[in-house]
Amino acid sequence: MAFSNEYTHRKVAETSAKSCEICYKPSSSVLITSDNKDWFYVCPSHLKDTGFCTPKIDHAAIEARKKKELEDEIERVKKEYEEKQKKKKERAEKKDDKEDKDKKDDKDDAKKTDDKEKSAVTKKEETSVSPTEDEEPRVFELKATFFQQRLFKKRQAEIAKRNRERLRDPNYFPSVPKNLP
């Protein structure tokens, strides 16, 4: 019957939004347990309220994501470096063929490559803003009072269901005596 106090934040379609459990405003955010035994709609503003719930941050996942991003960045820089080396070799070969003409072209190419490198660096800096800082936490733990309230509601719903099933069962009620006293 009991479930863990670990809820995952999920979004549903705006068309299927229902009232928030706290303030009764329409909300498309749902908190659901990992075993899907309990779920309820809640406003995103309540998720930021420390009196309602606390976010559970998975530091290992964040470190793994940062490490993967770093490896991807290293790989990208290596590719860029190899491309630059190839271009330098091609220029050196062309330089042997046409030294006079290439001197002017090299200066222009150098300026162009410097401009490209600068723009690439600025683009990289813009995209390197950490997405983990902007992301909202997905896993939450309810405060004790709210979690107890959820458990109480679940128990009451289970008791009501059991009572309905008992009332439907004809053997639940006593039968009329058939023998004379």
Side-chain angles (χ1 to χ4, degrees):
M1 167 61 192
F3 43 86
S4 64
N5 187 8
E6 189 171 297
Y7 289 84
T8 304
H9 178 232
R10 297 215 179 130
K11 290 280 193 178
V12 295
E14 289 293 328
T15 56
S16 62
K18 295 191 179 177
S19 66
C20 171
E21 191 77 15
I22 309 299
C23 65
Y24 304 107
K25 291 180 183 176
S27 175
S28 61
S29 295
V30 178
L31 285 182
I32 185 168
T33 58
S34 57
D35 54 4
N36 295 340
K37 286 187 176 180
D38 186 35
W39 56 270
F40 60 96
Y41 286 83
V42 65
C43 293
S45 60
H46 297 305
L47 298 176
K48 296 175 184 171
D49 181 14
T50 57
F52 174 66
C53 63
T54 55
K56 286 183 126 183
I57 300 171
D58 187 6
H59 295 289
I62 292 172
E63 290 299 321
R65 187 181 307 137
K66 285 181 181 179
K67 186 175 181 181
K68 184 177 182 259
E69 289 174 358
L70 185 62
E71 290 173 358
D72 291 342
E73 182 72 18
I74 290 171
E75 193 67 30
R76 188 182 61 79
V77 170
K78 284 182 181 179
K79 287 180 182 178
E80 287 179 4
Y81 180 75
E82 290 172 1
E83 289 175 8
K84 288 179 184 178
Q85 292 300 323
K86 287 179 184 178
K87 287 180 182 179
K88 285 182 181 180
K89 288 181 183 178
E90 290 174 4
R91 285 187 202 145
E93 291 173 4
K94 288 181 183 179
K95 189 175 183 181
D96 293 339
D97 296 339
K98 301 176 184 178
E99 290 182 10
D100 295 336
K101 292 181 181 178
D102 285 340
K103 287 182 181 179
K104 293 179 183 178
D105 291 339
D106 283 342
K107 290 179 183 177
D108 293 339
D109 288 343
K111 288 180 182 177
K112 289 179 183 177
T113 55
D114 287 341
D115 292 339
K116 288 180 183 177
E117 290 173 2
K118 288 179 184 177
S119 62
V121 168
T122 56
K123 287 180 184 176
K124 183 185 82 172
E125 289 173 353
E126 292 172 0
T127 58
S128 68
V129 173
S130 178
T132 56
E133 295 171 2
D134 297 337
E135 289 179 1
E136 294 180 2
R138 290 186 47 96
V139 180
F140 295 90
E141 184 176 327
L142 296 181
K143 293 294 183 179
T145 54
F146 289 102
F147 185 64
Q148 291 301 324
Q149 180 183 13
R150 295 299 306 163
L151 286 176
F152 181 73
K153 282 185 178 182
K154 280 293 181 184
R155 282 192 200 110
Q156 292 300 320
E158 190 175 300
I159 291 170
K161 182 180 177 183
R162 211 176 315 130
N163 287 341
R164 281 193 305 272
E165 289 174 358
R166 286 179 184 162
L167 290 174
R168 288 185 190 146
D169 185 17
N171 295 330
Y172 181 70
F173 295 105
S175 61
V176 177
K178 295 181 183 175
N179 298 335
L180 294 173

